[in-house]
Amino acid sequence: MLKLPIHYLKKLPKSSLRNYCAELGVQHNIFNRFKKDDYTNITDRVMYHMNKNLHLKNNHPLSIVRQRIVNYFNKTFVIRNNPVFSVYDQLPPIVTVDQNFDSLLVPTNHPSRNKSDCYYINRNYLLRAHMTAHQMDILKTGLNNFLIIGDVYRRDEIDKTHYPVFHQIDAVRLKDSKDFFPDNDHFQIFEASDDAESIRGQEKQPCHTIEAVKIMEEELKSTLEGLAKSLFGEKIEFQWVDTHFPFTQPSWELEILHNGQWLETLGCGIMKQSILTSAGVTDKIGWAFGLGLERISMCLYKIPDIRLFWSKDSGFLNQFDLDNINSNITYKAVSQFPQCKNDISFWLPESKEFSSNDFYDLVRNVGGDLIEQVKLVDKFVHPKSKKVSHCYRIIYRHMEKTLTQKEVNIVHKEIEKNIRNQLGVTIR
Ligand code: PHE
């Protein structure tokens, strides 16, 4: 049985941290199946989080929110008493670069493809960075209405709202001209156009009629506003913001007002027609969206730290053992253990590239869930040598006990050793 490093540290000599990581690696040795190459950057820590299926776990807040959203769709879209949307919630997270990017028209130079943003297994495979990665495959099966739910993986900063693994629900809904007005043979979805991809931004795609786009926009937005109200109550305040995705046009984000702040909760839009064409769909127009389950659960239940979703502590999980999944309970902190702060300063390597996300990953890989936050607090360029130095503040906090400075120092030393060896930095 695997435990958090701090338990492990107590039982074993200091040098055992690496064994702990190795132990994690054995559990999911995906490198028996996939060859490593110069793109490989997936960490043991991230592999350890694969296949946990928190979104399907009984009494887990992510699972409760998933169920509420699925219920909303089953209630809202019904034909002859049958739910219209099919649900995929157990697709494995390893996908191809084609699935995650190419099939969705993400340009080859788009920053979201960078090694510093994704967990690559090798040049051809990565852990999906969004559930949209499965859109093309499901479209090709001929389905018109579906939800895709699962864990997604992104390299990012470390704080209370970011974690390398989180959960998303994606949806697709397609309609042909008969679905708009069954009695009207003249309603057109398409009109002649020169170049379907030539117009960018918020305008409609040239191949669509304005009528079809407006009706789709209205259905998409009212569906999502209805969803927000069913989760947060009728009084929830929200706003639509124009945005851009490579796979939808026009595209929007829905922000909700939470504790006086506008929070982005989802992205959506009218699907790019060329995606549908590639999937063999020629007579339909579609809308799609993707939303993050953690963000919604944190607002809904006032969960203060994203690491709590991974807690095995009964003090956390028991609070979500609800008789009625629709009850809007407020999470009560079991107790708040004190933080320990340690700074780390180093000179960046001169002969090698350095990305802060490499550093964050390494810190997380060694320190695991003891790491609450990592912040770049100072940057400095030496006036003579032109060498660059970064100083990061690492905030340690265990969710279930008080950490001693001595325990923190062991992990901190291990982080120093690892960044020296792996990132080529010089500790100051
Ligand atoms: N995949 C997008 C994201 O992760 C969300 C999205 C899905 C936007 C589908 C539009 C359509 O941010």
Side-chain angles (χ1 to χ4, degrees), residues 129-130 132 135 154 168 170 245 247-248 267-269 288-290:
H130 54 177
T132 322
Q135 190 182 88
R154 286 188 205 168
Q168 283 188 327
D170 255 55
F245 296 107
F247 29 91
T248 51
C268 65
F289 72 79

Side-chain angles (χ1 to χ4, degrees), residues 323-334:
D323 291 332
N324 173 6
I325 61 164
N326 297 319
S327 40
N328 278 342
I329 59 140
T330 297
Y331 169 72
K332 290 182 203 63
V334 188

